Amino acid sequence: MLTIIISVGVLLVLFLVAFCLWKWGNVRCIGETPVPLFTLISILFTSGLDVGLIMLPLTEFPIYADTVANPEYAFANPLAIEFGFWGFLIWSFYFLTSFYFCVIEPRVRFFEIPVVRVLNNVVIMGTCAFTASLFLANLPSYIPEMGDGKQVVGPFYVITLLVILASAVTATDIKYLRLLSLASVWMFLALIVGLAVHADIGPATLGGTLSGVNEYFTHLNRFVLPMNDYHEFYLFWWFAWSIMIGQFTARFVGGLRTWQLLLALLTIPSIPIAVWFSVLYHYHLHAIDTSGLVNLSMIVVGSVFVINSLDSLIRLYSDNLGLTVSRLGRLRHIAMNVVLLFALAVMFQTQWLRIQWIGSVVVGIYLACIGYLLYAHRERVAAIDSSPEDRVLDFERIKSVH
């Protein structure tokens, strides 16, 4: 049943992406708070990706390489498989929702319907907690000194709690958003360079390894539908993120046309992902030891990624539900989010919750939204030829000032 749900969801997204390009390909997309492209990509990249980007590849390459136990991976090298689970095509999910919240949602207000608002924020909370639980689950591999390298022990819960606390604190003030986003990008780039220098990976070596990503593009069709349960897990994971990241990112889109927004989201984040995975793949191929400083560096950057992601999502569901700092007070706001997210993270860790269930709810929201548009707003949506007029006027005014 889960395979059917995610297959319907993915095919629906790809159809809607094609339809949006055909219908509104040249529409200028403008958010509530437009920012330059680099800032937008920084916000999207660090909010739309989490600690899994940092901590999962080194544990997954050996699985993808074992084609005897996992013959479904035999069509491409492990680097191409890893990239396919994280890069390029799946960013079309974020394009679709970003476009929707920029251009269509302000006119139809589907996500303001009470039951939809509640479901959407349950999804945001659940996915937020899953990010923390993923961080918790991967700590044993990166800090084996604290345990046996496999089991989650007490100190790891404390580290995760502190990361959630830091996220809840930064979520109380919007001034941290740009700082966290840009810091995440620069720290991630520094991590790539640092690991490349540590392993003596020069441009020629990196280019040779990077060429392995080409097998993803030559077998792109193999990544559309789930090839196995693990790929299915990834697709549900991306679906779970898609609405809330689109809702958040749409605020900052700064006048890109629809086709430009799609092109930017497919390509720009995929480049550093491909380079990063190529560096890690070199470590895997040559069995380079990552203990000590390398693991510590990855944990630090991974922690910043988690804080940045949780910060964005806490702010999003708090605003959506009216549970703001001004209403609750700073300390109550922090305490509420820490208790809620830590409890949910533990539930994910103990398998009381699964990301596949969250993703299934999101597929249901997609279908409900389409039905609502066709039933209640078909003519209004068909007549759309620009972003909302007030945003266009504000954007033109800002441009004229600068």
Side-chain angles (χ1 to χ4, degrees), residues 115-395:
V115 65
V116 177
R117 184 170 67 247
V118 171
L119 279 177
N120 185 41
N121 286 286
V122 167
V123 167
I124 295 172
M125 292 175 191
T127 310
C128 199
F130 176 74
T131 297
S133 73
L134 191 70
F135 176 71
L136 173 63
N138 281 277
L139 283 176
S141 300
Y142 287 84
I143 318 178
E145 299 83 358
M146 287 189 178
D148 58 7
K150 298 179 181 179
Q151 302 298 316
V152 175
V153 294
F156 298 144
Y157 286 98
V158 175
I159 293 172
T160 304
L161 180 62
L162 291 175
V163 168
I164 293 174
L165 175 60
S167 305
V169 171
T170 60
T172 59
D173 196 321
I174 192 68
K175 69 182 180 183
Y176 295 113
L177 174 62
R178 180 181 173 86
L179 176 63
L180 276 173
S181 297
L182 295 178
S184 297
V185 169
W186 289 115
M187 289 178 70
F188 179 56
L189 295 177
L191 182 65
I192 294 175
V193 173
L195 263 65
V197 171
H198 179 265
D200 195 25
I201 303 173
T205 302
L206 179 61
T209 306
L210 186 60
S211 65
V213 173
N214 290 335
E215 290 191 14
Y216 163 74
F217 293 99
T218 57
H219 298 284
L220 186 61
N221 61 301
R222 304 290 291 269
F223 293 90
V224 174
L225 298 178
M227 63 184 73
N228 59 15
D229 288 346
Y230 194 60
H231 186 211
E232 184 178 287
F233 155 78
Y234 259 99
L235 292 173
F236 272 116
W237 185 3
W238 281 91
F239 250 96
W241 275 90
S242 62
I243 291 178
M244 58 190 174
I245 294 301
Q247 187 176 8
F248 182 73
T249 305
R251 300 177 180 182
F252 307 104
V253 177
L256 294 174
R257 299 194 182 276
T258 301
W259 68 268
Q260 293 173 326
L261 181 63
L262 175 61
L263 187 63
L265 297 194
L266 290 182
T267 58
I268 297 177
S270 295
I271 294 171
I273 290 174
V275 173
W276 168 241
F277 285 171
S278 297
V279 170
L280 292 183
Y281 192 51
H282 181 88
Y283 274 72
H284 164 72
L285 289 176
H286 298 277
I288 299 174
D289 183 30
T290 61
S291 60
L293 184 59
V294 173
N295 277 349
L296 179 61
S297 300
M298 294 175 71
I299 290 172
V300 170
V301 177
S303 298
V304 174
F305 264 56
V306 174
I307 292 169
N308 190 76
S309 295
L310 298 190
D311 167 276
S312 303
L313 301 182
I314 290 171
R315 184 178 292 108
L316 183 59
Y317 71 69
S318 296
D319 289 347
N320 288 346
L321 295 175
L323 301 174
T324 59
V325 175
S326 59
R327 179 181 174 187
L328 299 178
R330 193 166 187 265
L331 291 180
R332 288 178 62 191
H333 187 273
I334 292 171
M336 178 196 72
N337 286 298
V338 170
V339 171
L340 173 66
L341 294 181
F342 186 71
L344 290 174
V346 172
M347 291 179 70
F348 274 111
Q349 174 64 24
T350 55
Q351 296 295 302
W352 281 91
L353 285 175
R354 298 179 63 196
I355 196 63
Q356 290 90 331
W357 303 343
I358 305 294
S360 296
V361 173
V362 172
V363 175
I365 293 175
Y366 273 66
L367 293 172
C369 182
I370 293 171
Y372 175 76
L373 296 183
L374 291 175
Y375 175 75
H377 294 284
R378 182 168 52 190
E379 293 183 0
R380 176 177 290 184
V381 172
I384 290 174
D385 60 1
S386 70
S387 290
E389 185 177 354
D390 58 333
R391 295 187 184 179
V392 174
L393 293 174
D394 287 344
F395 183 69

